Amino acid sequence: MRIVIIGGSGLIGRQLTAALARAGHEAVAASPSTGVNTLTGEGLPDILAGSDVVVDVSNSPSFEAAAVLDFFERSGRNLLAAERKAGVQHHVALSVVGTDRLEENGYFRAKLAQESLIQSSGLPYTIVRAMQFFEFLGAIAEAAAAGDRLVVPDADLQPIAAADVAAALAEVAVAPPRNATVEIAGPERGPFRDFIARRAAKAGDERQVFADRQARYFGAKLEKGSLVPDLSAAARLGSTRFDTWIADA
């Protein structure tokens, strides 16, 4: 298959491109650095010509609410329109677990808008909602800094290794479209505080970590299950355990 990876120069995009190439596919990484700009539409007709599948793992350069919404709406419309003209048979998009439960957060609202565009596009699709990556827990910890403490929501977390996200996307990309949303997460579910504390200890960060029911997650108030897959659904679980990953980080 010829598979175009939008956002192919990023953390997930690089690993996904490599995984698909190892499997014998023509994996094409597309990003502004390669002359493809989904915000303007530049380069899309050429890169999509003859492509079977598009995997969109692009991300907004700004997380400000209005800017991120503009990014996902404009880039989504341009990309989906170009795919229809090129005859692409499967659109795969990376989203976030909890997107439909945390509309207080501007980023989650923007991802929900992106999902809505895909679902109404008429293109065969699969949306993959992933948990937070192990690699991003440091940034999440800094966002929770309160003086000499880290104060995180009293909620559950089930983070996943970026490599496992890329592996799941590679499998979805070469499978038939599901015209549905699937969820992926790490193999361990536990309190938000525990993951942040383990990561802080590994990094030599001596700040104490506290859980607070009133603490916000980038502006959104969380319930216990807000950020994790629904236990009644069959989420795909990555194989990399947090302790294994953090030992090598």
Side-chain angles (χ1 to χ4, degrees):
M1 290 183 177
R2 176 180 166 88
I3 303 172
V4 175
I5 298 91
I6 303 294
S9 62
L11 172 65
I12 300 299
R14 292 193 305 271
Q15 297 183 67
L16 174 58
T17 302
L20 290 169
R22 286 195 299 270
H25 300 285
E26 182 185 356
V28 183
S31 66
S33 64
T34 67
V36 178
N37 189 327
T38 54
L39 279 175
T40 64
E42 177 188 3
L44 284 176
D46 289 340
I47 202 74
L48 296 182
S51 297
D52 303 292
V53 180
V54 169
V55 185
D56 185 5
V57 295
S58 62
N59 208 354
S60 172
S62 169
F63 284 5
E64 189 275 325
V68 73
L69 179 61
D70 178 65
F71 175 86
F72 283 118
E73 288 190 328
R74 273 205 290 155
S75 63
R77 289 191 183 100
N78 288 337
L79 181 57
L80 292 164
E83 288 179 41
R84 281 193 291 269
K85 289 181 180 178
V88 170
Q89 296 300 303
H90 189 186
H91 178 93
V92 179
L94 179 61
S95 191
V96 190
V97 172
T99 290
D100 54 344
R101 299 191 289 265
L102 295 172
E103 292 190 63
E104 288 180 286
N105 176 285
Y107 187 85
F108 282 80
R109 287 197 303 273
K111 293 300 286 185
L112 196 60
Q114 179 194 32
E115 291 186 9
S116 179
L117 286 172
I118 294 166
Q119 291 161 345
S120 62
S121 69
L123 286 168
Y125 72 91
T126 306
I127 295 170
V128 178
R129 288 182 177 171
M131 279 298 307
Q132 289 72 20
F133 308 158
F134 293 160
E135 288 81 354
F136 290 167
L137 291 182
I140 291 172
E142 289 309 312
D148 60 352
R149 305 186 305 163
L150 300 175
V151 182
V152 301
D154 186 13
D156 282 346
L157 205 60
Q158 197 169 344
I160 185 171
D164 289 344
V165 175
L169 286 168
E171 288 188 14
V172 168
V174 300
R178 298 193 185 192
N179 295 315
T181 299
V182 297
E183 294 186 327
I184 59 175
E188 303 166 75
R189 179 180 300 213
F192 201 123
R193 180 199 171 279
D194 289 0
F195 287 103
I196 297 299
R198 287 153 70 188
R199 185 264 167 200
K202 171 64 177 180
D205 186 340
E206 297 181 353
R207 289 175 293 184
Q208 288 187 291
V209 185
F210 295 88
D212 185 341
R213 286 190 60 81
Q214 301 307 313
R216 298 266 170 160
Y217 179 73
F218 296 103
K221 187 176 186 303
L222 301 184
E223 301 299 332
K224 183 177 176 64
S226 296
L227 275 182
V228 290
D230 186 342
L231 286 172
S232 65
R236 171 191 167 125
L237 302 183
S239 61
T240 306
R241 298 188 66 81
F242 186 58
D243 285 342
T244 302
W245 178 87
I246 208 168
D248 297 330

Short mmCIF file of all heavy atoms in Angstrom, two decimals, residues 23 28 40 44 46 123 130 155 192 230 244:
data_model
loop_
_atom_site.label_atom_id
_atom_site.label_comp_id
_atom_site.label_asym_id
_atom_site.label_seq_id
_atom_site.Cartn_x
_atom_site.Cartn_y
_atom_site.Cartn_z
N ALA A 23 7.33 -3.09 7.17
CA ALA A 23 6.32 -4.08 6.77
C ALA A 23 6.15 -4.16 5.25
O ALA A 23 5.31 -4.92 4.76
CB ALA A 23 4.99 -3.76 7.42
N VAL A 28 5.00 7.32 3.28
CA VAL A 28 5.45 8.65 2.89
C VAL A 28 5.16 9.63 4.01
O VAL A 28 4.00 9.88 4.36
CB VAL A 28 4.74 9.11 1.60
CG1 VAL A 28 5.26 10.47 1.16
CG2 VAL A 28 4.90 8.08 0.50
N THR A 40 -2.91 25.30 4.60
CA THR A 40 -3.09 26.04 3.34
C THR A 40 -3.49 25.13 2.19
O THR A 40 -3.95 25.60 1.15
CB THR A 40 -1.79 26.76 2.96
OG1 THR A 40 -0.77 25.78 2.70
CG2 THR A 40 -1.32 27.69 4.07
N LEU A 44 -0.77 19.04 -0.98
CA LEU A 44 -1.65 17.89 -0.75
C LEU A 44 -1.99 17.11 -2.03
O LEU A 44 -1.91 15.87 -2.02
CB LEU A 44 -2.93 18.33 -0.04
CG LEU A 44 -2.81 18.64 1.45
CD1 LEU A 44 -4.13 19.16 1.99
CD2 LEU A 44 -2.38 17.40 2.23
N ASP A 46 -0.34 16.57 -4.75
CA ASP A 46 0.79 15.77 -5.23
C ASP A 46 1.09 14.61 -4.29
O ASP A 46 1.32 13.48 -4.74
CB ASP A 46 2.03 16.65 -5.38
CG ASP A 46 1.93 17.61 -6.56
OD1 ASP A 46 1.11 17.34 -7.46
OD2 ASP A 46 2.65 18.62 -6.57
N LEU A 123 -15.89 9.71 3.83
CA LEU A 123 -14.73 8.84 3.58
C LEU A 123 -14.72 7.67 4.57
O LEU A 123 -15.08 7.85 5.74
CB LEU A 123 -13.44 9.63 3.74
CG LEU A 123 -13.06 10.62 2.65
CD1 LEU A 123 -11.92 11.52 3.11
CD2 LEU A 123 -12.65 9.87 1.38
N ALA A 130 -6.06 7.66 21.74
CA ALA A 130 -4.97 7.14 22.56
C ALA A 130 -4.92 7.84 23.91
O ALA A 130 -5.30 9.00 24.05
CB ALA A 130 -3.63 7.33 21.84
N ALA A 155 -7.76 11.41 39.94
CA ALA A 155 -8.40 10.65 38.86
C ALA A 155 -7.46 9.53 38.42
O ALA A 155 -6.30 9.48 38.85
CB ALA A 155 -8.72 11.57 37.69
N PHE A 192 -3.59 8.94 38.95
CA PHE A 192 -2.80 9.95 38.27
C PHE A 192 -1.54 10.26 39.08
O PHE A 192 -0.42 10.32 38.54
CB PHE A 192 -3.69 11.21 38.17
CG PHE A 192 -3.32 12.21 37.11
CD1 PHE A 192 -4.26 12.58 36.14
CD2 PHE A 192 -2.08 12.82 37.09
CE1 PHE A 192 -3.95 13.51 35.18
CE2 PHE A 192 -1.77 13.77 36.14
CZ PHE A 192 -2.70 14.12 35.18
N ASP A 230 -13.32 3.41 28.75
CA ASP A 230 -14.48 2.80 29.39
C ASP A 230 -14.21 1.32 29.61
O ASP A 230 -13.87 0.59 28.67
CB ASP A 230 -15.70 2.99 28.48
CG ASP A 230 -16.99 2.53 29.13
OD1 ASP A 230 -16.92 1.77 30.12
OD2 ASP A 230 -18.05 2.92 28.63
N THR A 244 9.21 -0.54 32.92
CA THR A 244 10.18 -0.92 31.89
C THR A 244 10.61 0.28 31.09
O THR A 244 11.81 0.49 30.83
CB THR A 244 9.57 -1.98 30.96
OG1 THR A 244 9.18 -3.12 31.72
CG2 THR A 244 10.57 -2.41 29.89
#
